[in-house]
Amino acid sequence: MANVAVVGSQWGDEGKGKIVDWLSERADVVVRFQGGHNAGHTLVIDGKTYKLSLLPSGVVRPGKTSVIGNGVVVDPWALLGEIDAIAGMGVEITPETLKVADNASLILPLHPYLDGAIEEARGADKIGTTGRGIGPAYEDKVARRAIRVCDLADRETLEQRVDHLLFHHNALLRGLGADEVDKADLLARIEEISDRLLPYAAPVWEWLDDARRDGKRILFEGAQGAMLDVDHGTYPFVTSSNTIAGQAAAGSGVAPGAIGYVLGITKAYTTRVGSGPFPTEQSNEIGELLGERGREFGTVTGRRRRCGWFDAVMVRQAVRVGGISGIALTKLDVLDGIEELKVCVGYKVDGQEMPRFPAGIRAQANVEPVYETMEGWETSTMGARSWAELPATAIKYVRRIEELIEAPVALLSTSPERLDTILVRDPFAD
């Protein structure tokens, strides 16, 4: 049985929450390996809606162990608040069911403050961050000044780390003309949550290796999507971490060979939140229709998503870079009743054909999509659970996507309900 990594193949918001929940029934362990509480997953189970940000989707399933890996930047206040909220919905979370990497870096109250101050200073050149401190926390991590979960257990080390942190950030805040962060206040806030967070801390890499050796099936859950990857996405309009499947190993401490199947979650059209290039965006009635039908609002931020036609060039690139074995195609039902559908099958930049999404900022902004037009379908696909329930033109659309992105459809989702899923190939069976 293969361990499975689930990643987004577009700009995030592809419907990973439902698919991960669907797969978690077959898994023993669910692992988050990158990102922070800027990610959002919505699960609908037996008519009850769960909105998760930091917690892995497996937490709502009894008998599963959830893991937050070292590649995640953890906001303790957000995490504990989410634990309390889920407990209020009848889901008990304990140190036996949730393990947080003791070497994971923390998001502290100063990080959202910095995020806002820096974005304001950028003016018209804003990146469009969620303002939750994710970027500044990752900056601290790579600059080797981060405070990690394990530091909470050692007051002397913690004070030294806070001094080192504020030496840098207060100088930056002074330069921005913003108020500096008070050390005593920051330490007091950290101490308020230390005793609640530390029981969840564990050497996750060791625990996962033992689980793998014991034959447990592990599901690695990514956040955001391939085109928001800090290296391979639409830089600088990206997130602050690597979002592709290669990060599942580094971000959780398992060997790369432990990941057997990579499932790319792929929406049947395209959306993105915030600033940045979007070749197939439809700032018209089609874009409005997709947004309304697909309820395209961010789980975490509530921001309206930009909408457009399916971009096969972009997804094919995500398949190649991310080693995607197969895709889970979501929200096919949103396209029901649209008479004529378009799929981007190529790019032009300054009149020249371009077989890939370019790396250069100017080139990305000047990408022109080349479309192929396909016939739509009138029959509803919502709730379909077999190919036989799909109209022939919908099947033709799915098959053409497979050809263009050079990857097979392993699952097809036809509504937010977890059972409204057509299984073509079980990723855990590989």
Side-chain angles (χ1 to χ4, degrees):
M1 303 294 281
N3 295 323
V4 177
V6 174
V7 295
S9 65
Q10 294 158 307
W11 276 295
D13 308 309
E14 300 97 346
K16 289 184 291 294
K18 171 196 165 169
I19 301 299
V20 171
D21 174 61
W22 193 89
L23 289 169
S24 68
E25 194 169 53
R26 293 160 172 77
D28 302 301
V29 181
V30 183
V31 185
R32 270 286 307 274
F33 59 83
Q34 51 79 217
H37 64 306
N38 55 340
H41 293 326
T42 300
L43 311 180
V44 181
I45 302 170
D46 297 329
K48 189 177 288 190
T49 300
Y50 301 90
K51 293 184 181 293
L52 306 177
S53 295
L54 264 174
L55 290 172
S57 299
V59 296
V60 298
R61 293 281 163 200
K64 314 295 178 184
T65 304
S66 294
V67 173
I68 296 177
N70 56 276
V72 178
V73 283
V74 179
D75 183 323
W77 294 269
L79 175 60
L80 295 171
E82 199 170 324
I83 289 171
D84 291 341
I86 294 297
M89 299 179 73
V91 179
E92 184 183 10
I93 298 174
T94 69
E96 285 68 46
T97 60
L98 174 67
K99 301 187 182 299
V100 180
D102 55 7
N103 57 340
S105 297
L106 296 176
I107 298 176
L108 302 175
L110 65 85
H111 290 123
Y113 176 52
L114 283 163
D115 216 348
I118 294 168
E119 276 285 83
E120 185 176 345
R122 286 193 178 108
D125 294 325
K126 286 180 172 63
I127 297 295
T129 75
T130 59
R132 292 169 181 256
I134 312 296
Y138 272 116
E139 286 180 39
D140 284 342
K141 178 179 179 176
V142 298
R144 295 163 294 186
R145 57 176 174 261
I147 292 172
R148 303 185 300 169
V149 174
C150 56
D151 295 331
L152 302 183
D154 183 343
R155 171 66 193 231
E156 185 177 345
T157 297
L158 179 61
E159 284 205 42
Q160 291 173 353
R161 300 303 298 161
V162 168
D163 283 336
H164 187 52
L165 195 66
L166 296 186
F167 175 77
H168 173 83
H169 287 308
N170 277 339
L172 175 61
L173 289 167
R174 284 195 298 273
L176 293 172
D179 293 337
E180 296 182 29
V181 175
D182 181 72
K183 174 185 175 181
D185 179 64
L186 181 58
L187 278 170
R189 294 199 62 184
I190 294 171
E191 287 174 349
E192 285 176 4
I193 52 86
S194 294
D195 288 345
R196 281 198 66 194
L197 182 64
L198 281 171
Y200 297 100
V204 157
W205 66 270
E206 184 178 48
W207 190 92
L208 285 172
D209 187 59
D210 290 341
R212 182 181 63 82
R213 291 172 185 270
D214 289 342
K216 292 185 178 178
R217 286 170 292 183
I218 305 172
L219 183 62
F220 298 89
E221 175 186 7
Q224 290 93 32
M227 298 311 291
L228 290 175
D229 186 280
V230 69
D231 289 307
H232 302 287
T234 49
Y235 191 91
F237 300 100
V238 293
T239 194
S240 302
S241 62
N242 289 110
T243 61
I244 60 175
Q247 179 65 14
S252 58
V254 301
I259 301 163
Y261 191 99
V262 180
L263 182 67
I265 314 303
T266 308
K267 199 177 285 185
Y269 49 100
T270 311
T271 64
R272 83 169 295 173
V273 171
S275 306
F278 185 171
T280 64
E281 182 174 12
Q282 298 297 298
S283 301
N284 52 27
E285 291 181 2
I286 286 293
E288 289 290 323
L289 179 65
L290 294 173
E292 302 241 346
R293 284 193 182 175
R295 299 177 184 176
E296 297 296 351
F297 296 91
T299 300
V300 172
T301 64
R303 290 188 292 180
R304 188 178 184 87
R305 298 174 188 137
R306 300 155 62 191
C307 298
W309 296 118
F310 187 85
D311 189 336
V313 181
M314 183 178 75
V315 175
R316 182 171 65 244
Q317 188 162 322
V319 167
R320 292 179 176 182
V321 171
I324 291 173
S325 312
I327 69 166
L329 192 65
T330 66
K331 292 198 169 184
L332 183 68
D333 55 294
V334 173
L335 302 179
D336 290 353
I338 300 178
E339 186 175 338
E340 188 176 87
L341 302 172
K342 292 185 179 181
V343 175
C344 174
V345 297
Y347 292 153
K348 284 187 177 180
V349 178
D350 299 331
Q352 300 295 314
E353 290 188 5
M354 174 70 67
R356 72 190 71 84
F357 207 103
I361 295 171
R362 189 192 66 80
Q364 288 182 356
N366 291 339
V367 165
E368 296 178 30
V370 177
Y371 287 116
E372 179 178 297
T373 301
M374 298 186 67
E375 182 185 356
W377 53 90
E378 295 182 4
T379 309
S380 173
T381 62
M382 178 171 273
R385 298 183 183 180
S386 71
W387 287 108
E389 297 177 57
L390 296 177
T393 44
I395 295 174
K396 186 177 179 181
Y397 181 80
V398 173
R399 295 306 185 202
R400 182 58 177 146
I401 283 176
E402 289 181 313
E403 291 174 0
L404 290 168
I405 68 172
E406 300 172 2
V409 170
L411 294 97
L412 185 64
S413 171
T414 57
S415 93
E417 290 290 339
R418 67 185 301 273
L419 293 179
D420 292 340
T421 304
I422 299 171
L423 175 63
V424 182
R425 184 171 189 169
D426 186 349
F428 279 116
D430 272 33

